[in-house]
């Protein structure tokens, strides 16, 4: 059997293992090991697996994942997310659909210290859903707005998915972070527009809340937003200016959140321990995914599947934007079945050379496009991780009710993608300012 045939059979075997519900990291590692052993030798395969696992788990550059993940969990257990939502609610909660709009603003600001779509959805969802239920918001709109708002956590820096993409493609994590700022703001505004259109047509879907006076608003501002902005400016600003490496920026951010939590006495010893435990679990999961993807990637490299696909894409009688549209469609379909992090690690080695080397697209812009595309997978059935997070917060609400409300937000993401395709400068302008 030729290496190409082995590679294609391995991809099929991997999909079969996924359908059998084997964990993605184990499936990638097992198939990668078996295929590599067939094409080389069992001894070479064992050596490759050991080397990849050791290299990834001992990598200093991957320490950035642990730092930013811990920063997010510290913010969660210290109640900073609660204060952010209270401020957003006091500011705009009295408008029709105001609570859902405030949810998007809170998700965007919390994303600036979190970097995880699931943590953002869980934190803001636990605060926002009871409030929207109190004001008799449509259940589908309320739950879907929180699930979709979690997507902002992976666009607005810091972002774990941007970190993984940067490691997989050897691109600057700092440039990827800053590239996500404008698209993240654009997506937030599109979300808000979708909510406004829906609730202006049917005001009963999002009744207005009580109007707060300016004293209450300033009080809420002092309750958390100021600290978040300072932490964001120090951590991300130092990274952009060049004071910190990405790992150091994550450590500074985590220390900043911990310092604020200790100063405000808003985190208990139990909450501190839980933040460490959850951060360890999440980091271990991500690291294992990366190791499995690297093993699978070694098989793909020697089987020449990515090279053959790149040559095929280059020979298609289609303009570059049409080929890119096909790639995004593939990502959209895969996102319905595969976790966002796993999909980045699995597909970037295949599509990155096509987009950057064959089609000539900017690698930073491509990263933003891919992160936004795979983020759709966290709100689309049947995987829809954010939807399941919201289901866990509101167990009495059927999944189909939550998924029903997702479509306006999914349309907003598609419009955001179209805008970035038409105006790539929205993602490349700020990174271009960094030397």
């Amino acid at each position: 059997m030729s290496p190409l045939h082995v590679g294609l059979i391995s991809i099929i075997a991997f999909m079969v293992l996924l359908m059998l519900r084997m964990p993605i990291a184990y499936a990638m590692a097992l198939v990668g090991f078996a295929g590599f052993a067939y094409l080389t030798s069992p001894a070479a395969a064992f050596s490759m697996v050991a080397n990849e696992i050791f290299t990834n788990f001992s990598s200093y550059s991957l320490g950035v994942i642990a730092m930013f993940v811990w920063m997010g969990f510290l913010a969660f257990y210290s109640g900073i997310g609660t204060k952010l939502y209270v401020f957003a609610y006091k500011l705009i909660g009295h408008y029709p659909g105001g609570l859902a709009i405030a949810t998007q603003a809170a998700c965007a600001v919390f994303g600036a210290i979190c970097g995880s779509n699931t943590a953002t959805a869980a934190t803001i969802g636990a605060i926002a859903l009871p409030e929207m239920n109190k004001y008799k918001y449509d259940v589908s709109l309320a739950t879907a707005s929180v699930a979709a708002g979690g997507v902002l956590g992976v666009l607005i820096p810091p972002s774990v998915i941007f970190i993984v993409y940067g490691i997989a493609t050897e691109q600057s994590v700092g440039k990827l972070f800053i590239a996500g700022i404008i698209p993240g703001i654009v997506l937030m505004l599109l979300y808000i527009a979708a909510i406004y259109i829906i609730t202006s047509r049917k005001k009963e879907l999002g009744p207005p809340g009580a109007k707060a006076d300016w004293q209450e608003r300033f009080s809420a501002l002092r309750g958390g937003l100021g600290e978040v902005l300072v932490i964001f400016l120090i951590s991300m600003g130092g990274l952009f200016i060049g004071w910190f490496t990405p790992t150091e920026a994550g450590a500074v951010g985590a220390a900043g959140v911990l310092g604020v939590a200790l100063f405000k006495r808003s985190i208990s010893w139990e909450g501190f321990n839980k933040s460490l435990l959850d951060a360890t679990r999440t980091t271990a999961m991500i690291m294992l995914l990366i190791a499995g993807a690297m093993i699978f990637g070694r098989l793909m490299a020697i089987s020449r599947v990515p090279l053959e696909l790149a040559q095929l894409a280059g020979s298609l009688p289609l303009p570059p934007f049409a080929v890119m549209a096909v790639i995004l469609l593939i990502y959209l379909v895969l996102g319905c079945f595969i976790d966002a992090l796993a999909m980045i690690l699995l597909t970037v080695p295949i599509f990155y050379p096509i987009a950057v080397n064959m089609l000539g697209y900017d690698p930073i812009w491509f990263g933003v496009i891919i992160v936004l595309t795979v983020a759709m997978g966290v709100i689309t059935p049947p995987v829809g991780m954010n939807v399941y997070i919201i289901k866990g917060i509101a167990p009495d609400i059927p999944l189909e009710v939550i998924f029903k409300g997702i479509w306006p937000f999914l349309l907003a993401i598609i419009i955001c993608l179209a805008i970035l395709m038409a105006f790539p400068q929205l993602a490349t302008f700020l990174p271009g300012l960094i030397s």
Side-chain angles (χ1 to χ4, degrees), residues 186-237:
V186 170
L187 181 59
M188 181 189 70
L189 294 176
L190 288 171
Y191 279 171
I192 291 174
I195 295 168
Y196 178 79
I197 292 171
I198 293 170
T199 54
S200 62
R201 290 181 176 179
K202 295 183 178 181
K203 288 185 171 57
E204 66 274 12
L205 296 180
K211 185 175 182 178
D213 58 35
W214 283 105
Q215 183 177 358
E216 291 177 300
R217 293 172 182 176
F218 281 118
S219 176
L221 175 64
R222 292 194 299 270
L225 186 59
E227 291 90 336
V228 169
L229 290 176
V230 170
I231 294 168
F232 178 82
L233 289 175
I234 293 175
S235 177
M236 294 296 99

Side-chain angles (χ1 to χ4, degrees), residues 124-200:
I124 304 302
I127 309 157
L129 289 179
E131 290 295 323
M132 286 191 271
N133 183 57
K134 182 195 304 182
Y135 287 96
K136 302 188 184 304
Y137 267 58
D138 177 74
V139 174
S140 187
L141 171 64
T143 52
S145 66
V146 180
V151 173
L152 298 173
V154 298
L155 266 182
I156 296 176
S159 166
V160 172
I161 296 183
F162 271 137
I163 293 170
V164 173
Y165 174 87
I167 292 170
T169 60
E170 298 182 351
Q171 293 297 317
S172 167
V173 173
K175 288 187 176 182
L176 287 167
F177 277 175
I178 197 172
I181 294 176
I182 295 179
I185 294 173
V186 170
L187 181 59
M188 181 189 70
L189 294 176
L190 288 171
Y191 279 171
I192 291 174
I195 295 168
Y196 178 79
I197 292 171
I198 293 170
T199 54
S200 62

Side-chain angles (χ1 to χ4, degrees), residues 402-428:
I402 306 175
F403 278 121
K404 178 184 175 183
I406 285 295
W407 301 110
F409 300 99
L410 190 60
L411 179 61
I413 297 178
I414 293 173
I415 293 173
C416 187
L417 277 170
I419 292 173
L420 287 176
M421 291 283 288
F423 304 100
Q425 298 86 355
L426 291 174
T428 58

